[in-house]
Amino acid sequence: MNSTVETVGWRANAGIGGGRVFGAGTVANTAAVNSNVTTSGYGSYAGIGGGAVLDGGTVANTTAVNSHVKTTDSNAYAGIGGGSVYREGTVANTTAVNSHVTTAGEWGLAGIGGGGCRNGCQHHGGEQPCQNHG
């Protein structure tokens, strides 16, 4: 509750559950209330569950209430479950209530579930479907 995670710099991922969730890593049952995750830097992903979810990593059962996720540079994705979900990463069961995801910058993708989804990512549950950009 009432948490803030901020990073500044090139590919500086940020997340309340984990900045980068990969391999056999799992972040589960994360709840963020009145919390903020912000990145400023090229390719810096931000998420409540995980900033980047990749290579078999899993983020599951993420809830955000009155929380905000924001990126401010190019190629910087933002999401409530995961900012960027790719290469067999999985995000499941994401819930957002009175929460906001905002990006600024070229290719700044945003979403509930995952901001950017590519190369075999998976989303399960009631979250907003992601866009696939290759």
Side-chain angles (χ1 to χ4, degrees):
M1 288 182 55
N2 301 313
S3 301
T4 298
V5 179
E6 296 180 71
T7 63
V8 177
W10 190 72
R11 296 196 188 262
N13 301 329
I16 289 178
R20 185 174 187 209
V21 183
F22 64 105
T26 298
V27 171
N29 305 314
T30 302
V33 179
N34 299 321
S35 298
N36 297 288
V37 179
T38 304
T39 65
S40 177
Y42 176 86
S44 297
Y45 308 135
I48 298 286
V53 184
L54 66 151
D55 296 335
T58 299
V59 170
N61 305 319
T62 304
T63 301
V65 179
N66 297 324
S67 295
H68 304 275
V69 180
K70 182 178 180 180
T71 63
T72 61
D73 210 331
S74 298
N75 198 40
Y77 307 165
I80 297 291
S84 180
V85 185
Y86 61 107
R87 291 195 319 244
E88 305 300 325
T90 300
V91 170
N93 304 315
T94 305
T95 303
V97 178
N98 295 325
S99 296
H100 303 276
V101 180
T102 307
T103 61
E106 186 175 358
W107 282 100
L109 305 176
I112 306 298
C117 177
R118 61 182 191 244
N119 298 331
C121 74
Q122 300 178 46
H123 288 267
H124 306 285
E127 64 272 351
Q128 171 181 324
C130 62
Q131 297 180 26
N132 188 335
H133 290 280

